[in-house]
Amino acid sequence: MISIPIEQVDRILKRYDSEIVKIIRRGRHNLRYIIATGCTADEVIYINRLIRNLKKYVLYKPDELEVQAPDLPDYVNPDDRKVFKDKIINALGYSSLRSTFYPSYFNDIGIKSCVYCNSQLTICAEETNSVPVKYSAKFQIDHFLPQKDFPCYCISFYNLYPVCSSCNNSKSSNPISFKLYDYRKNIVNLGFGFNISPLLIAKYISSRKVKNLKIEFTEPSTPLGSKSFNETFDIEGIYNTQVDIAEELIIKSLVYTTSYKATLLKSFPSVFQSKSFLDRLIIGNYVETENIHKRPMAKFMQDIAKQVKLIP
């Protein structure tokens, strides 16, 4: 729901230079193996282009991804497209990277929750083929340019959007206007937000009936013909199952007044090392915009806590 500065991602990518070199080298080797095991002449053309440009593709910036986009060419037999696409994706090692490389990479960027709904973690448990059955924790990832059309970008860093399984299934290959990576240097609030009608808050305070609370979600205008964020991911539906969290924040706002928080900071300086840390403990989540991706529900809790003046 908020963007991440490309400059920040680039700094993290530099830490992984040696690992990225290995990923590219291994991908090229596996692509050559596909050719060696038999391909049509048209498929060989596509694979050779991918081998030559793999490093560029992996590191392409968002605008380069969209401008250069070498989708699966029409000359590849339609009946063979899925099989050929799967061969490319397997050769580039996308599946194994989800459980080996991506967890540490995205953790360093600061993404642990779904970049679409922010309500769930981006890690999912998947069954392995072993007996007895074991479960492996893997990152769930959506591709801004879908794999079915652009297998060459299946491991391109700026094409990867960490998401929860629900949002991944809801979006499928449908396009959305939200772009995770932004050229501006600071975290950008793109206009997504949560609020509760002040009238409903007042009604709750007087009645103490949580059913009086209703979460509203606002978002930027959607291009004509496209589904809104709310329609695609049912954001209001998700968060209206969590009104008890909003209830707790409202109650806390009645207790943790500005003067009371000042008293806590003065009385326990070794415990509450900063005002922001005290606010984080009070709401039970991160309070800085740049940390929204680190924990589920952070965006929602920040917005409601600000509305009721629990945090600045």
Side-chain angles (χ1 to χ4, degrees):
M1 290 184 183
I2 64 168
S3 66
I4 297 175
I6 286 174
E7 185 180 79
Q8 175 183 323
V9 179
D10 281 344
R11 285 199 302 269
I12 302 302
L13 286 173
K14 286 179 182 177
R15 297 182 195 172
Y16 289 97
D17 274 346
S18 59
E19 288 90 339
I20 292 171
V21 168
K22 292 177 184 176
I23 289 170
I24 293 169
R25 185 183 299 134
R26 185 164 55 245
R28 284 175 171 155
H29 172 79
N30 292 339
L31 289 168
R32 292 188 183 98
Y33 181 76
I34 294 177
I35 295 176
T37 54
C39 288
T40 67
D42 291 333
E43 291 171 346
V44 169
I45 292 172
Y46 183 87
I47 293 174
N48 278 329
R49 180 172 59 167
L50 180 50
I51 290 171
R52 287 194 306 272
N53 296 297
L54 186 57
K55 182 178 180 180
K56 287 196 301 185
Y57 290 175
V58 167
L59 297 172
Y60 262 164
K61 297 293 193 297
D63 56 344
E64 293 173 313
L65 285 168
E66 295 184 68
V67 171
Q68 307 293 339
D71 59 343
L72 279 179
D74 292 336
Y75 52 69
V76 173
N77 186 333
D79 294 334
D80 298 332
R81 283 174 72 90
K82 184 180 186 308
V83 173
F84 182 60
K85 178 261 296 182
D86 288 344
K87 284 182 180 179
I88 298 294
I89 293 171
N90 289 334
L92 296 179
Y94 167 69
S95 182
S96 64
L97 290 172
R98 287 174 57 207
S99 56
T100 55
F101 180 77
Y102 294 148
S104 58
Y105 164 67
F106 284 119
N107 183 68
D108 284 352
I109 293 178
I111 302 179
K112 297 179 184 177
S113 61
C114 176
V115 299
Y116 291 147
C117 72
N118 192 232
S119 69
Q120 298 186 60
L121 292 170
T122 53
I123 295 289
C124 64
E126 295 186 350
E127 292 184 9
T128 66
N129 294 323
S130 61
V131 179
V133 172
K134 294 182 179 178
Y135 291 87
S136 174
K138 293 188 176 184
F139 254 82
Q140 192 84 356
I141 295 172
D142 180 44
H143 291 77
F144 183 76
L145 295 176
Q147 294 184 84
K148 72 180 183 67
D149 297 319
F150 305 98
C152 57
Y153 289 159
C154 69
I155 61 171
S156 299
F157 289 103
Y158 285 105
N159 197 40
L160 306 177
Y161 285 40
V163 297
C164 66
S165 57
S166 295
C167 284
N168 205 14
N169 292 333
S170 296
K171 177 181 174 289
S172 187
S173 59
N174 298 315
I176 58 171
S177 56
F178 170 76
K179 294 184 180 181
L180 178 61
Y181 305 105
D182 198 287
Y183 283 94
R184 286 167 284 193
K185 291 185 177 181
N186 298 315
I187 294 284
V188 179
N189 188 331
L190 300 172
F192 298 93
F194 298 92
N195 68 89
I196 302 172
S197 163
L199 184 62
L200 293 182
I201 292 175
K203 192 173 181 180
Y204 166 75
I205 291 174
S206 63
S207 69
R208 289 296 196 271
K209 292 181 180 178
V210 71
K211 67 179 182 180
N212 287 329
L213 298 176
K214 183 180 179 183
I215 310 301
E216 296 176 356
F217 177 69
T218 57
E219 61 177 295
S221 58
T222 305
L224 190 64
S226 299
K227 280 187 173 183
S228 70
F229 221 69
N230 195 31
E231 290 172 321
T232 303
F233 303 115
D234 191 23
I235 303 296
E236 284 188 354
I238 292 170
Y239 282 90
N240 271 300
T241 67
Q242 306 296 321
V243 288
D244 55 327
I245 294 177
E247 176 187 33
E248 292 166 8
L249 294 172
I250 294 169
I251 295 298
K252 287 177 179 178
S253 72
L254 302 177
V255 176
Y256 292 97
T257 61
T258 301
S259 59
Y260 183 38
K261 288 199 285 185
T263 299
L264 289 173
L265 285 169
K266 185 177 180 180
S267 302
F268 304 99
S270 62
V271 177
F272 307 120
Q273 299 172 12
S274 67
K275 187 178 182 301
S276 64
F277 187 66
L278 171 60
D279 286 337
R280 175 177 160 189
L281 292 178
I282 289 172
I283 76 167
N285 215 317
Y286 289 98
V287 295
E288 302 86 5
T289 301
E290 62 268 23
N291 289 328
I292 281 172
H293 293 298
K294 288 186 176 180
R295 188 176 294 173
M297 314 297 288
K299 172 65 172 164
F300 166 65
M301 295 177 76
Q302 286 182 25
D303 287 354
I304 301 303
K306 288 174 182 176
Q307 183 186 357
V308 298
K309 296 182 169 48
L310 181 57
I311 60 175

